[in-house]
Amino acid sequence: MHSKIFSATTVGIDAHLVEVEVDLSFGLMQFYIVGLPDKAIKESKDRIRAALKNSGFRIPERLITVNLAPARLKKQDILFDLPITIAILQASKLLDMQQAFINNTLFLGELSLDGKVRPVNGVLSIAHAALKFGKKRLIIPKDNCCEASLIKGIEIIGVESLVQVVAYLRGEQNIKNITSTFDNFKNNIKNHPLDFNQVKGQWQAKRALQISAAGHHNILFIGPPGSGKTMLAKRLASILPPMSFDEVIETTKIYSISGLLKKRSLVFHRPFRAPHHTISQAGLVGGGSNPRPGEISLAHKGILFLDEFTEFKRSTLEVLRQPMESKSVLISRANMSVEYPTSFLLIAAMNPCPCGHFGDSKKKCVCSKDHVVKYFSKISGPLLDRIDLHVNVSSVDYDDIKNDDLKGKSSKDMFVNVMKAVKIQEKRLGNSKNAFMSSDQVEKYCVLTIESEKILKIAFDKLGLSMRGYHKILKIGRTIADLQNSEKIEKAHIQEAIMYRSLDKKIQSY
C-alpha cells in the first residue's frame, strides 16, 4: 500500500517542495525514514507512533517506509510530523482523500505525544512559495495562521490536533478558512513610542540621522559616555520610511525561519537589533551546523546598532565588510550553502578614547597619544570606508536639559522631510536609495557646481580619501541636496558632507 502527499522545507529563506511518500509492506514492524532527513526528523517516528495511539488510531502493523523526495535536498526542522502521519493514514485506508485535493494541498506541523499539532518555523516562506508550487491550500498549525495569512490567494486551514485534521479530511468537521490580509494587519500598526523631541539639543546628530534615514547612509557616533548616543540611535526608526508589503514579507520570513515570531506577531516595524559586544562571528553573521540567520540578517530592512563599537573583536567586525557591500551573506558548510539577505542600516557608537573624554569640554582626557591611536586602530580603514557619516556627539550642558526651547523638531516633522527626499530618489532610482548608487549612477546623478567641485578636490587630497570614501561624500551630498530639493549638489551641501568625515580628521590631527 502506497500514498503520496505534499509538504515543503526551507533552505535559507526560500522554500522547496517535498513529496512525502509512504509505503506499507508485510514484514517486521519497523519504521524507516529516508531522503536525507536530519536527526530531528528521524526522531519523528516515535512522536508519530505515540500521537496515533493517543488519538485513537490503530498503528499499522506493517513495515513502514517513508521517503522525503527529492533525496538530494537535506531536510531540516520538525515540520514533517503531520504530513508523514497523514500519508500513513492514507496508505492504510483510514483516510480517502481525492487526488485533486492532495495535489492542491501542503501539510505542515509538529505533533506532540498526545496528538496536538504544534507550530513550526518557516511557514511564511512556504506560504509565499505555495502558489509557485501550484498549491492552493495549506493545512498548518493554528498558531502559524497569522503569518501564513499574509499571503493572498491561499486557503489557510489552521488545525489544533490530529483528531481535528482527520475529521476535516473525512468531511466530518468544517474548519473556517483564514482570510486575514495584509491590509487588516497594517491598520493595527501603532506609532513608534520614541520621539526626537525627547532629546535636548544635539542638533548635528539629529541632522545626521535625518540624512541617514533619507539616503540609507551608515552612521558612526563618537562621543563621551552619557552624551545620548544610544538615545539618538533608538529614535532613528521613528523617521524611517514605512515598510512596503515586499519588505514585510521578506523580513518576516527571516523571523519565521528563526522561530522568533510570537503567536500573533508579524514584522511591520523596521527591526532594531542591538547585539552585545561579546557576540561571536556566527551570532553576528549567522552560522551553525544547520546555518541559521545572524543578527545582520535579523536587522534586514531595519537597524543594526553596535554600541561600544571598539569593544567588539576586530575579527568579528571585519566580517561585516562584505555583507555591507553586497547586502547578503553566503554561509557555506560541507553539505550545503545558504544565503541570507543583509540590507541593514548600521549605527555604531564609540567613545573618542579609552577614558571616553578626548575633546570633551567638561572632563580632561587622561589618555596618551599612543593609547588613543591604538584605540582607533581597533577599527580598520576598509570598515570605516563603508560607514558614510562620522558624527561627533558632545556632552549635554545643564542649561540644555532645563531649556524647553531646545527640544527641537519632533520625529513627525523630521519624517515629513525624509519622505520628500525618498520620493525624489524613487523617481530617480526606482526603489533604491542614494547609498546604493553604482559608480555609473554617481557620475550621472551627483552633479557638482564648480565651487563644490573645487572644495571636494581639496578635501580628497587633505583627507587622503579612497575611491569609496570619495563616492560616499558624493552620495551624502546628493542626499543633502534632495532634502533641500536641489537639483545640483551646491557648495553648502558638499561642505556638510565632508564635515561628516570627522574621524579621518581626528586621527590625522592628533
Side-chain angles (χ1 to χ4, degrees), residues 92-131:
S92 59
K93 305 301 181 182
L94 294 175
L95 284 175
D96 186 20
M97 294 183 289
Q98 298 299 315
Q99 192 60 44
F101 180 90
I102 293 173
N103 292 339
N104 289 322
T105 307
L106 289 179
F107 293 84
L108 305 167
E110 176 191 351
L111 290 177
S112 63
L113 299 184
D114 61 355
K116 293 290 190 297
V117 181
R118 291 176 171 170
V120 294
N121 299 336
V123 169
L124 180 60
S125 294
I126 294 170
H128 193 228
L131 289 175

Side-chain angles (χ1 to χ4, degrees), residues 233-254:
K234 288 183 176 179
R235 281 154 179 78
L236 176 59
S238 66
I239 61 172
L240 288 175
M243 296 181 75
S244 66
F245 175 77
D246 290 339
E247 288 177 330
V248 169
I249 293 295
E250 192 171 10
T251 306
T252 307
K253 276 184 182 181
I254 298 171

Side-chain angles (χ1 to χ4, degrees), residues 263-281:
K263 185 176 180 180
R264 300 294 298 176
S265 175
L266 296 168
V267 183
F268 283 103
H269 292 293
R270 296 192 180 274
F272 183 90
R273 306 293 299 184
H276 193 261
H277 60 77
T278 57
I279 192 171
S280 65
Q281 286 189 25

Side-chain angles (χ1 to χ4, degrees), residues 412-455:
K412 184 177 180 180
D413 296 330
M414 296 172 69
F415 175 76
V416 171
N417 291 333
V418 167
M419 289 308 298
K420 288 180 180 178
V422 168
K423 289 178 180 178
I424 291 173
Q425 292 171 64
E426 288 176 348
K427 291 180 181 179
R428 182 191 304 130
L429 304 170
N431 292 326
S432 188
K433 296 288 181 63
N434 285 340
F436 305 145
M437 284 193 292
S438 65
S439 298
D440 291 340
Q441 289 174 325
V442 169
E443 294 295 327
K444 182 177 180 181
Y445 298 119
C446 296
V447 181
L448 300 169
T449 62
I450 295 175
E451 288 185 334
S452 58
E453 189 164 358
K454 289 179 180 178
I455 292 171

Side-chain angles (χ1 to χ4, degrees), residues 218-468:
N218 299 318
I219 187 168
L220 171 62
F221 284 137
I222 310 152
S227 56
K229 301 184 293 294
T230 301
M231 190 177 184
L232 287 161
K234 288 183 176 179
R235 281 154 179 78
L236 176 59
S238 66
I239 61 172
L240 288 175
M243 296 181 75
S244 66
F245 175 77
D246 290 339
E247 288 177 330
V248 169
I249 293 295
E250 192 171 10
T251 306
T252 307
K253 276 184 182 181
I254 298 171
Y255 279 74
S256 175
I257 289 166
S258 303
L260 297 178
L261 284 181
K262 298 178 181 178
K263 185 176 180 180
R264 300 294 298 176
S265 175
L266 296 168
V267 183
F268 283 103
H269 292 293
R270 296 192 180 274
F272 183 90
R273 306 293 299 184
H276 193 261
H277 60 77
T278 57
I279 192 171
S280 65
Q281 286 189 25
L284 189 62
V285 301
S289 55
N290 294 324
R292 310 301 289 177
E295 288 292 331
I296 62 175
S297 295
L298 294 173
H300 182 61
K301 299 301 180 183
I303 299 166
L304 178 68
F305 178 49
L306 301 182
D307 200 5
E308 305 296 343
F309 197 43
T310 52
E311 299 304 316
F312 286 80
K313 292 181 180 178
R314 179 162 179 163
S315 59
T316 301
L317 290 178
E318 290 303 299
V319 299
L320 290 174
R321 287 159 53 179
Q322 184 269 334
M324 288 172 67
E325 284 291 310
S326 65
K327 307 304 176 187
S328 65
V329 60
L330 181 66
I331 303 171
S332 298
R333 294 294 180 266
N335 56 355
M336 66 187 307
S337 293
V338 177
E339 187 173 15
Y340 291 113
T342 60
S343 182
F344 57 86
L345 182 58
L346 175 66
I347 307 180
M350 60 178 284
N351 296 330
C353 64
C355 78
H357 299 290
F358 175 57
D360 191 357
S361 59
K362 290 186 175 182
K363 292 185 180 181
K364 184 178 179 181
C365 176
V366 297
C367 303
S368 68
K369 178 179 178 180
D370 290 340
H371 285 161
V372 176
V373 172
K374 184 178 180 181
Y375 184 76
F376 279 121
S377 67
K378 293 180 180 180
I379 308 171
S380 69
L383 181 58
L384 278 176
D385 257 355
R386 289 166 169 82
I387 301 178
D388 309 40
L389 308 170
H390 306 159
V391 182
N392 291 309
V393 182
S394 59
S395 298
V396 179
D397 295 327
Y398 182 80
D399 291 339
D400 293 341
I401 298 174
K402 292 300 181 181
N403 193 343
D404 289 335
D405 294 334
L406 292 178
K407 284 186 177 180
K409 290 185 178 180
S410 67
S411 291
K412 184 177 180 180
D413 296 330
M414 296 172 69
F415 175 76
V416 171
N417 291 333
V418 167
M419 289 308 298
K420 288 180 180 178
V422 168
K423 289 178 180 178
I424 291 173
Q425 292 171 64
E426 288 176 348
K427 291 180 181 179
R428 182 191 304 130
L429 304 170
N431 292 326
S432 188
K433 296 288 181 63
N434 285 340
F436 305 145
M437 284 193 292
S438 65
S439 298
D440 291 340
Q441 289 174 325
V442 169
E443 294 295 327
K444 182 177 180 181
Y445 298 119
C446 296
V447 181
L448 300 169
T449 62
I450 295 175
E451 288 185 334
S452 58
E453 189 164 358
K454 289 179 180 178
I455 292 171
L456 182 56
K457 182 181 185 300
I458 295 171
F460 186 88
D461 294 334
K462 284 192 174 182
L463 296 179
L465 295 172
S466 67
M467 196 64 188
R468 183 185 283 113

